[in-house]
Amino acid sequence: MILHPGESNASYTRQSPATHFHPMATKNLNLSQLTGEKTYTEIVFSQVWGKVEAYKASHQQQKIFMMAFGDTTQPLPPTVVEAMVDAANCLADPKTYTGYEDITGNSALRQAICDNYYHKKMGVELESSEVFISDGAQSASVNIQDLFALDNTVAVQDPAYPAFVEGTVLAGRPLVNLPCEEENNFIPKLPSEKVDLIYLCFPNNPTGAVATYEQLQGFVDYARSQNAVIIFDAVYSAFISVPNVPRSIYEIEGAKECAIEIGSFSKMANFTGLRVGWCVIPEQLTIKNTMPGELNNLWRIRHAVKFWGTANVAQYGAIAALSPVGQQECQKIVNYYLKNADLLREGLEKAGLHCFGATDSPFVWVKAPQGLSSWQFFEKLLASTGIVGVPGCVFGSSGEGFLRLSTLGQQEEIKAAVEHLGALKHPMA
C-alpha cells in the first residue's frame, strides 16, 4: 500500500497487491539531470584530471602540483589516534565490546560539541539533543532538505560548494542563485524574491570570503520575516583568524529560530577519511506548519529511517579531538594549512596575480589575468608552472574568470610550487 500525503503511520498496513500496475519501473528524472559529467566530482576527475593526464603525457619532465582537491594530507592528531586505538581494542574484547551507538550520535560526543566547541569557543549555548552526528558535512548538507516540502524554493550562493546545487536538483526543488561578486567581497545580497531555504557557507568554499555579524544579521532577519530557513555550512570556521567575524550562525541574534548549522571534523582534525560531522537543529527552529521542537524530532525520525549512525570508533576519535589536548593539536593542523595558504598567496601575488581568500580559509581564489576564462587560466597556469586548480566556473556562473587552489597539501609541495612561480620569466598578469 502506498502511504499518501496526509495519511498517518497508523493507516499503513500490509495489504494484498494492488490491481493497478505501472507497465514498468521508471528512472528518477531528477537524478538523470546530473549525468554526463555535470556533477562536481565527475568534472574534477574527468575533465580536470583528464587535462592533467594529457599534459603529463607530452611533458613528462614537468613537475605537477595538485591543488584541485580539498583533501587533507597531514596525519591525525596523536590524541585522536590513541583514542581510536583504545576504542578498537575495546571492540576486540567481549567484555568491552559495543555494537550500535545511539543513531543520533554518541552522547559524549554530542555533549563535547556543545561544551568544548560552541560554548567555550563562541559562547553559544546548545543542548546535546539539538546536535546530530553525521558521516561528514557532505551528506548532512544535502540530506537536510528531507525536512522540507518539495515545492520549497532554495537559494544558493553563486559560486558555491556544488553539493548544495546538486542536492537541490536531485530533489527537484526550484533553485535561485545569489551572485557573489568581487565588488561585494563575494558576499551575496539578500534574495530579491521569496525563497524558503537559504544555503550560506562562511568561510566560503570556494572564495574564502567571510561574513560580518551585520551581514549575517541581515540574512537572519530576512529568514525570520519570510518564515525561511538558513542552512549554514560552518565547516571552515576553525580557520577564521581575523577578529570580529562570527564562527557560528548562532552568534547572531534570532538565529536559533531560523537556522540549521552544519559542522565537520574533516579539515580541522584531518578526518576526511573518517567521515564525522554534525548538524544542529535547535528546538526553537520553526516553520509555517510546525511547533517548537518538531523539526528536531522529524530529523530524528529521518535518521531512524535513512541512517543508522556514524562508526563508533571514529566518534571516539572525534571526542578526543575536542578534548583540551586534542584542540591544541587540531589548532596546529589549522595553522599548518593557513601557513600554506599564506605562502601560496604571497607567491601568486608576486607573480602579478590578484588573489582572494587564504586568510580565513585553506583556499586561494585567484582572478584570471588578461581576461582569460576559467578554463583558459587553468591551462595557462598548468603549462607555466605545473599548478593544478579547479576552474571557478565549475562552482557556478559567477565563478567564471577565477580559479580555486587548495592549500591542504604538503608544505614542501606548496614551497616548491611557489619557487616555480618565482622562476617565471614573465609575470602571469
Side-chain angles (χ1 to χ4, degrees):
M1 175 184 176
I2 299 174
L3 188 63
H4 295 286
E7 295 182 336
S8 68
N9 289 334
S11 68
Y12 182 77
T13 57
R14 292 183 182 274
Q15 295 187 1
S16 59
T19 56
H20 241 58
F21 293 97
H22 289 292
M24 64 188 72
T26 57
K27 65 183 179 182
N28 183 338
L29 296 178
N30 293 330
L31 185 57
S32 295
Q33 291 186 55
L34 297 173
T35 61
E37 296 184 7
K38 293 180 182 177
T39 65
Y40 174 71
T41 301
E42 289 181 320
I43 291 171
V44 170
F45 282 97
S46 179
Q47 296 184 38
V48 171
W49 190 245
K51 289 179 181 292
V52 172
E53 288 293 295
Y55 180 80
K56 287 170 63 178
S58 57
H59 299 79
Q60 296 183 13
Q61 303 304 313
Q62 173 71 63
K63 171 70 174 175
I64 300 297
F65 303 99
M66 184 56 64
M67 300 183 189
F69 306 115
D71 197 3
T72 52
T73 58
Q74 295 304 290
L76 292 170
T79 301
V80 169
V81 174
E82 182 180 354
M84 292 179 64
V85 169
D86 289 344
N89 285 332
C90 287
L91 296 180
D93 186 337
K95 295 180 180 179
T96 54
Y97 175 84
T98 56
Y100 293 125
E101 286 277 5
D102 185 325
I103 60 171
T104 61
N106 182 295
S107 60
L109 175 55
R110 288 185 283 128
Q111 192 63 54
I113 290 171
C114 292
D115 296 341
N116 299 349
Y117 183 79
Y118 282 103
H119 178 68
K120 288 185 179 179
K121 288 181 176 293
M122 292 160 270
V124 171
E125 299 290 345
L126 292 172
E127 298 295 329
S128 63
S129 61
E130 298 175 310
V131 178
F132 295 81
I133 305 303
S134 67
D135 55 345
Q138 171 94 4
S139 59
S141 64
V142 173
N143 294 330
I144 201 69
Q145 290 195 26
D146 284 356
L147 279 174
F148 306 100
L150 288 176
D151 62 354
N152 282 189
T153 299
V154 181
V156 179
Q157 289 168 274
D158 179 7
Y161 183 57
F164 305 154
V165 174
E166 294 165 5
T168 303
V169 171
L170 181 58
R173 291 185 173 86
L175 179 65
V176 172
N177 285 329
L178 301 178
C180 300
E181 309 287 357
E182 180 182 348
E183 53 265 31
N184 292 327
N185 296 317
F186 304 102
I187 304 297
K189 297 179 180 178
L190 295 175
S192 59
E193 56 196 288
K194 174 69 173 72
V195 300
D196 304 296
L197 306 177
I198 306 170
Y199 277 96
L200 295 178
C201 175
F202 294 112
N204 183 259
N205 177 10
T207 67
V210 292
T212 65
Y213 285 92
E214 292 75 19
Q215 288 165 332
L216 288 183
Q217 187 69 64
F219 277 96
V220 168
D221 291 345
Y222 171 91
R224 293 175 71 188
S225 67
Q226 299 297 320
N227 220 359
V229 174
I230 295 169
I231 302 169
F232 192 78
D233 182 335
V235 167
Y236 296 95
S237 64
F239 289 83
I240 293 176
S241 59
V242 299
N244 301 318
V245 171
R247 293 189 175 193
S248 168
I249 191 68
Y250 301 125
E251 295 182 65
I252 309 303
E253 184 179 354
K256 288 184 181 180
E257 299 173 18
C258 65
I260 293 169
E261 181 160 294
I262 295 168
S264 174
F265 292 88
S266 288
K267 304 306 191 294
M268 70 175 179
N270 290 325
F271 270 44
T272 51
L274 289 178
R275 313 308 308 141
V276 183
W278 72 86
C279 71
V280 179
I281 304 180
E283 293 283 342
Q284 296 169 242
L285 176 66
T286 59
I287 51 179
K288 184 177 180 180
N289 55 346
T290 66
M291 299 292 289
E294 187 174 349
L295 287 175
N296 181 288
N297 186 55
L298 287 175
W299 188 244
R300 190 181 307 276
I301 293 170
R302 189 265 176 204
H303 250 48
V305 174
K306 286 190 172 183
F307 187 62
W308 207 250
T310 305
N312 50 14
V313 172
Q315 291 191 72
Y316 280 106
I319 293 169
L322 290 173
S323 69
V325 174
Q327 285 291 277
Q328 292 176 9
E329 294 171 352
C330 286
Q331 189 60 52
K332 290 181 180 179
I333 291 170
V334 169
N335 292 345
Y336 180 93
Y337 293 135
L338 285 176
K339 177 63 175 178
N340 284 355
D342 186 58
L343 289 170
L344 183 60
R345 176 168 178 164
E346 182 179 350
L348 290 164
E349 290 179 338
K350 284 184 177 179
L353 292 166
H354 194 187
C355 302
F356 304 89
T359 302
D360 304 291
S361 162
F363 298 112
V364 186
W365 188 240
V366 192
K367 188 173 184 177
Q370 304 163 352
L372 296 176
S373 71
S374 291
W375 278 107
Q376 288 171 337
F377 183 33
F378 165 88
E379 292 173 348
K380 182 174 182 179
L381 194 64
L382 170 61
S384 302
T385 66
I387 294 175
V388 178
V390 177
C393 58
V394 173
F395 300 98
S397 58
S398 294
E400 177 56 70
F402 292 87
L403 188 78
R404 192 201 74 174
L405 297 175
S406 168
T407 65
L408 292 165
Q410 300 283 353
Q411 204 156 100
E412 294 76 12
E413 289 285 293
I414 299 293
K415 290 178 179 178
V418 170
E419 288 181 5
H420 276 65
L421 283 166
L424 289 174
K425 294 182 180 179
H426 304 287
M428 289 288 294

